[in-house]
């Protein structure tokens, strides 16, 4: 499981311990963005005491998506066949990871979803829930994908999925990375499954979500959606213009 961190010293040891208890065979990669609160040093301590924990240090904070891309590249190079992602703040509960792993038997990407039957959100105000649901509806309508929680960040991928979606061409660095990869998986003709989870708002530390992050997500989803519509129109025009007019027989 790839866990990106920035100033998560209050949560990292706690969440890694829970993950290791819940899934003892699962390895952990902490990708730290040079956290000034010492998260990177704490990650090194965890790795020194547990061979299943690894650390990747980045020199600066330049986006959740960028951190995941480096983490995925490391995992692929190490030969892992299943690669997952989750937050460090406890919002994704390691005790539910088995649901995602079980569902991966019949899918290429599994998302722990807040918005399918059985999913829930704990300790979010109604305004934030409404914004999140509206954002996912916008994604479904504009990008034409059926994923209910395309912005969710609790996921597991097959190795072949990440290889097929061309990570080298990913243009999203922030939280919209989640939508980007879900969309790429659907477009590639692969199976995306969603399983219900209970999403719990963090109780320690501060959220990394901001107006800038939300604006980037809205802008890129709009760009992708308009691009897809143009491509659909172009394909339809080619099909129409490529038809030859029906031939009629002359009377003898």
């Amino acid at each position: 499981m790839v866990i990106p961190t920035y100033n998560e010293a209050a949560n990292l040891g706690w969440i890694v311990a829970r993950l290791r208890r819940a899934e003892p065979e699962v390895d952990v990669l902490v990708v730290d963005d040079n956290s000034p609160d010492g998260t990177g040093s704490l990650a090194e301590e965890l790795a020194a005491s547990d061979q299943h924990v690894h650390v990747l240090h980045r020199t600066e904070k330049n986006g959740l998506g960028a951190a995941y891309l480096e983490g995925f590249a490391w995992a692929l190079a190490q030969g892992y066949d299943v690669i997952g992602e989750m937050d460090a703040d406890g919002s994704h509960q390691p005790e539910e990871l088995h649901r995602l792993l079980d569902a991966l038997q019949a899918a290429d990407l599994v998302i722990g979803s807040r918005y399918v039957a059985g999913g829930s959100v704990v300790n979010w105000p109604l305004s934030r829930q409404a914004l999140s649901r509206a954002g996912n509806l916008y994604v479904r309508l504009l990008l034409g994908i059926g994923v209910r929680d395309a912005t969710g960040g609790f996921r597991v991928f097959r190795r072949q999925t990440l290889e097929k979606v061309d990570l080298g061409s990913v243009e999203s660095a922030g939280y919209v990375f989640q939508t980007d990869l879900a969309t790429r998986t659907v477009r590639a003709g692969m199976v995306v499954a969603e399983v219900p989870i209970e999403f719990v708002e963090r109780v320690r530390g501060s959220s990394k979500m901001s107006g800038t992050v939300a604006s980037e997500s809205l802008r890129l989803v709009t760009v992708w959606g308009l691009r897809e519509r143009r491509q659909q129109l172009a394909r339809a025009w080619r099909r129409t213009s490529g038809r030859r007019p029906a031939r009629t027989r002359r009377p003898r």
Side-chain angles (χ1 to χ4, degrees), residues 99-104 106-119 136 139-140 145-156 182 186 191-197:
R99 298 181 186 177
L100 282 68
L101 295 173
D102 290 345
L104 194 63
D108 300 293
L109 160 62
V110 179
I111 300 174
S113 178
R114 297 162 289 186
Y115 304 131
V116 295
N136 275 285
V139 167
R140 289 198 301 277
I145 62 174
V147 179
R148 303 289 301 180
D149 196 356
T151 61
F154 194 14
R155 309 178 168 204
V156 290
V186 172
V191 177
V192 178
E194 294 183 85
V195 297
I197 62 165

Side-chain angles (χ1 to χ4, degrees), residues 5-252:
T5 56
Y6 184 77
N7 286 349
E8 294 290 356
N11 290 308
L12 183 61
W14 169 65
I15 200 65
V16 169
R18 286 176 60 189
L19 177 55
R20 296 288 294 116
R21 282 195 302 271
E23 298 291 343
E25 300 305 314
V26 170
D27 288 351
V28 180
L29 174 66
V30 179
V31 183
D32 185 64
D33 280 3
N34 196 26
S35 300
D37 74 342
T39 302
S41 298
L42 174 58
E44 288 290 352
E45 294 175 10
L46 295 173
S49 62
D50 187 342
Q51 64 179 356
H52 288 274
V53 179
H54 309 274
V55 187
L56 186 62
H57 295 281
R58 303 205 312 149
T59 58
E60 60 182 347
K61 183 177 185 292
N62 61 358
L64 180 74
Y68 272 130
L69 286 174
E70 289 198 33
F72 290 166
W74 182 93
L76 290 169
Q78 297 298 315
Y80 288 94
D81 292 323
V82 175
I83 301 167
E85 57 173 83
M86 64 182 294
D87 291 348
D89 60 10
S91 56
H92 301 142
Q93 301 182 73
E95 296 79 11
E96 295 185 322
L97 177 57
H98 68 93
R99 298 181 186 177
L100 282 68
L101 295 173
D102 290 345
L104 194 63
Q105 301 301 314
D108 300 293
L109 160 62
V110 179
I111 300 174
S113 178
R114 297 162 289 186
Y115 304 131
V116 295
S120 62
V121 176
V122 177
N123 294 333
W124 264 14
L126 289 177
S127 58
R128 188 167 178 186
Q129 289 194 48
L131 182 61
S132 177
R133 287 180 179 274
N136 275 285
L137 176 61
Y138 186 71
V139 167
R140 289 198 301 277
L141 293 175
L142 201 62
L143 300 184
I145 62 174
V147 179
R148 303 289 301 180
D149 196 356
T151 61
F154 194 14
R155 309 178 168 204
V156 290
F157 299 84
R158 290 183 181 274
R159 175 188 186 89
Q160 294 87 344
T161 306
L162 292 176
E163 291 174 335
K164 193 171 182 179
V165 298
D166 187 16
L167 294 176
S169 68
V170 172
E171 57 190 86
S172 49
Y175 281 74
V176 73
F177 171 83
Q178 309 292 13
T179 301
D180 193 355
L181 258 63
T183 303
R184 286 167 178 260
T185 304
V186 172
R187 298 270 191 269
M190 292 182 283
V191 177
V192 178
E194 294 183 85
V195 297
I197 62 165
E198 181 185 63
F199 179 95
V200 182
E201 174 65 341
R202 68 161 66 230
V203 295
R204 292 184 292 246
S206 58
S207 173
K208 310 304 186 298
M209 179 60 70
S210 66
T212 301
V213 170
S215 296
E216 181 213 21
S217 298
L218 179 62
R219 177 179 61 82
L220 285 177
V221 168
T222 302
V223 168
W224 297 336
L226 294 176
R227 180 190 302 162
E228 176 64 19
R229 294 295 179 270
R230 286 196 299 270
Q231 292 172 349
Q232 288 175 350
L233 289 172
R235 289 193 294 267
W237 183 86
R238 285 195 296 269
R239 287 195 300 269
T240 302
S241 62
R243 293 175 183 168
R244 295 182 178 180
R247 298 178 65 181
T248 58
R249 294 184 177 182
R250 294 181 180 178
R252 295 180 178 180

